[in-house]
Amino acid sequence: GENVEQHPSTLSVQEGDSAVIKCTYSDSASNYFPWYKQELGKRPQLIIDIRSNVGEKKDQRIAVTLNKTAKHFSLHITETQPEDSAVYFCAANHGSSNTGKLIFGQGTTLQVKP
Amino acid sequence: EAQVTQNPRYLITVTGKKLTVTCSQNMNHEYMSWYRQDPGLGLRQIYYSMNVEVTDKGDVPEGYKVSRKEKRNFPLILESPSPNQTSLYFCASSTPGQGYTEAFFGQGTRLTVV
């Protein structure tokens, strides 16, 4: 079946450094790639998304890049802060079915050390 | 306030005792789904529903049932829970919208089956 692979599973950075999380997807028809942040004990919440007709999107300190040819996309967080510590999930839609189904990666636990 | 509400938040039960986790959304979303979250495995889809009376299996449907009699509600039923169903469960809703579909998650239900 279709899947999304996410790396690394854990990431530890010093406050102020950058963090990068990478995902690859298998469904060539996928055209929507959201990123969710899950703080400890909370629900996942959308932080940024990108559509397949765009190569990069930025929102303040976070950015997402997409390489459709290679079928991978990445989340970049600059100037990390302790409040960025959370689990991050990438996802890709099931493009061929247009059902609204999202396929999630395994998650990355980001720790930002003060 | 737009939201997805799950109940209960926490549940401890015994093997074989039927239980239902409720999910309700007030955003008139067509698409609803259930996920389970386990360490290292990310968010795996259990069942989803495209609209009233339209449901289908996700990636890990064994041992679960769902129903969609009303647009706003999508309960998850465990007819005979087993310890391997101990997990954190999330309900989510979205509107398909050409495949670009932000999923809104409920608060989560932590289920323990002993």
Side-chain angles (χ1 to χ4, degrees):
Chain A
E2 309 298 352
N3 73 311
V4 174
E5 295 289 330
Q6 182 172 347
H7 299 281
S9 56
T10 60
L11 180 58
S12 181
V13 301
Q14 288 295 135
E15 182 177 0
D17 288 350
S18 294
V20 180
I21 303 170
K22 299 182 179 182
C23 290
T24 59
Y25 61 97
S26 61
D27 182 0
S28 56
S30 293
N31 58 7
Y32 175 68
F33 308 92
W35 286 87
Y36 287 81
K37 176 183 180 182
Q38 184 183 28
E39 296 176 351
L40 190 62
K42 301 283 184 67
R43 73 191 81 190
Q45 290 191 294
L46 181 74
I47 55 170
I48 194 167
D49 56 18
I50 191 168
R51 302 181 183 185
S52 59
N53 58 347
V54 175
E56 184 176 0
K57 183 177 178 181
K58 289 183 180 179
D59 183 2
Q60 298 181 33
R61 295 186 298 107
I62 60 173
V64 58
T65 58
L66 171 65
N67 183 326
K68 283 187 61 181
T69 303
K71 289 195 282 188
H72 67 69
F73 57 112
S74 301
L75 178 71
H76 305 253
I77 306 174
T78 59
E79 301 172 20
T80 53
Q81 301 169 3
E83 52 265 37
D84 294 329
S85 296
V87 178
Y88 291 81
F89 292 100
C90 63
N93 69 332
H94 195 261
S96 55
S97 66
N98 197 29
T99 59
K101 177 175 181 175
L102 290 175
I103 304 165
F104 285 86
Q106 298 88 339
T108 296
T109 300
L110 173 64
Q111 181 187 27
V112 180
K113 299 177 183 176
Chain B
E1 180 189 354
Q3 60 186 1
V4 179
T5 304
Q6 287 178 235
N7 280 296
R9 293 289 312 278
Y10 303 92
L11 180 58
I12 301 174
T13 190
V14 296
T15 299
K17 185 176 181 181
K18 181 180 178 179
L19 66 91
T20 299
V21 183
T22 63
C23 174
S24 180
Q25 52 94 5
N26 62 1
M27 294 170 279
N28 201 36
H29 284 165
E30 294 87 358
Y31 188 84
M32 297 185 74
S33 57
W34 277 101
Y35 296 89
R36 60 178 290 173
Q37 182 177 2
D38 302 290
L41 297 177
L43 293 159
R44 295 181 293 166
Q45 192 180 56
I46 303 170
Y47 266 94
Y48 66 94
S49 170
M50 292 287 291
N51 215 319
V52 175
E53 302 291 2
V54 182
T55 63
D56 206 351
K57 297 177 181 179
D59 301 313
V60 288
E62 294 77 19
Y64 305 94
K65 286 176 57 177
V66 294
S67 68
R68 187 94 180 270
K69 294 183 171 56
E70 305 165 285
K71 196 172 185 179
R72 63 184 291 123
N73 296 323
F74 190 45
L76 179 69
I77 303 156
L78 285 71
E79 294 270 3
S80 183
S82 62
N84 65 10
Q85 293 178 297
T86 292
S87 187
L88 178 59
Y89 291 86
F90 285 101
C91 177
S93 75
S94 62
T95 187
Q98 299 178 346
Y100 308 136
T101 169
E102 176 182 356
F104 292 85
F105 286 84
Q107 323 94 302
T109 296
R110 185 165 292 282
L111 173 65
T112 302
V113 184
V114 298

